DNA sequence: CGGATGTCAGGCTCACTGAAATTC
DNA sequence: CGAATTTCAGTGAGCCTGACATCC
């Protein structure tokens, strides 16, 4: 019904001066563009960003339940199901019932999954560089630090 | 089918270390939170962010066609229709056929619309402060500058 | 019992596309 | 004719909720 911030529509003309430097607006537009770049890049490896998130988390924590993986990645429990399905189809993870607690599934990265993660990692790093292309190295770190602090603040205030 | 970055799911546990500082991911999460704050704030004034964008652009440029307004705000031509409908219903703008080019409509801000914009402007400024709450004044400017440069880079490369 | 877990079904918003009607 | 403008209808992805069966 309603909606529609566009990139195409803004190619020609300058947007309003006051609008152009609104933080919330810039964040939305940059996030959209970053998402586009990441999705397009990962699509060429038949992957999605949640594949990457799940594999990274699994690789760091070792085998965990889906609920635990959900907490670590930020992917909803309900949506995690199909993410794990896709990763299992491709042979990157294995889903097995937990003998100690039969409500749970234990998700384990396979050797193939680890190899895939390594390649994804390189690609993701390149894509981050594309996103931050106009900034120098120290500026990128500055931006990353500032974003991390903003993010942590909002995470905390939400965890009440 | 697929999807689901959540806030609620991450309240308890720490997300993965490598994931936590990924720029594209932080941008997505902060943009989501900023959008939430802005939408909730504007909702209390029976407004949406595109109302604000359209009013700001109209106030700066004077009466323009919908196509021109689309270019200045970044709102899709097709979605701009309902935005103008809502603003016209509330008496903030007027839509009249352009006598010089009968394909176009000329959109004009009313006196009431200008008053509304003033109040929105104050609210939006407060909301930006909420978004950037953990940062000092100079840090906010630093972040704004960095974001502006990143954004401009991607706008340019898309305008090819 | 209360609470956690995995799963499925759906809702709602939003960026985006396509096409039709009108006018230049 | 081709191109621009307004409008409407619809798609697909992402975030999120609710409910159910199972098990602690």
């Amino acid at each position: 019904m309603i909606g529609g911030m566009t990139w195409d529509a803004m190619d020609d003309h300058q947007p309003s001066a006051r609008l152009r430097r609104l933080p919330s607006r810039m964040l939305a537009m940059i996030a959209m563009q970053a998402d586009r770049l990441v999705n397009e890049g990962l699509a060429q490896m038949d992957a999605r960003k949640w594949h990457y998130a799940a594999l990274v988390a699994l690789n760091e924590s070792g085998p965990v339940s889906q609920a635990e993986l959900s907490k670590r990645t930020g992917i909803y429990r309900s949506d995690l199901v199909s993410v794990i399905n896709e990763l299992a189809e491709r042979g990157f993870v294995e889903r097995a019932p937990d003998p100690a607690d039969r409500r749970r599934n234990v998700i384990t990265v396979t050797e193939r999954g680890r190899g895939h993660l390594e390649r994804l990692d390189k690609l993701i790093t390149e894509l981050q560089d594309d996103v931050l292309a106009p900034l120098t190295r120290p500026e990128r770190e500055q931006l990353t630090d500032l974003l991390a602090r903003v993010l942590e603040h909002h995470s905390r205030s939400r965890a009440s």
Side-chain angles (χ1 to χ4, degrees), chain A residues 36-109:
Chain A
R36 213 192 306 256
L37 287 171
V38 168
N39 285 332
E40 285 171 1
L42 288 179
Q44 295 189 324
M45 292 188 57
D46 188 35
R48 305 169 190 258
K49 56 182 170 175
W50 298 293
H51 295 190
Y52 178 70
L55 287 174
V56 168
L58 279 174
N59 196 53
E60 281 184 5
S61 64
V64 288
S65 70
Q66 294 183 196
E68 177 68 22
L69 190 56
S70 168
K71 287 173 188 164
R72 288 181 183 274
T73 56
I75 302 171
Y76 268 77
R77 305 183 260 123
S78 50
D79 294 329
L80 233 196
V81 177
S82 49
V83 174
I84 302 293
N85 285 343
E86 293 179 0
L87 289 173
E89 280 172 17
R90 291 159 174 76
F92 297 145
V93 304
E94 272 167 6
R95 168 159 41 193
D98 186 342
D101 184 340
R102 299 211 305 281
R103 289 171 303 180
R104 308 187 191 199
N105 290 330
V106 180
I107 312 298
T108 314
V109 195

Side-chain angles (χ1 to χ4, degrees), chain A residues 115-130:
Chain A
H116 186 58
L117 175 55
E118 266 183 44
R119 289 187 295 276
L120 286 183
D121 243 332
K122 282 184 190 168
L123 178 57
I124 289 282
T125 303
E126 289 174 21
L127 291 169
Q128 303 302 308
D129 286 344
D130 291 347

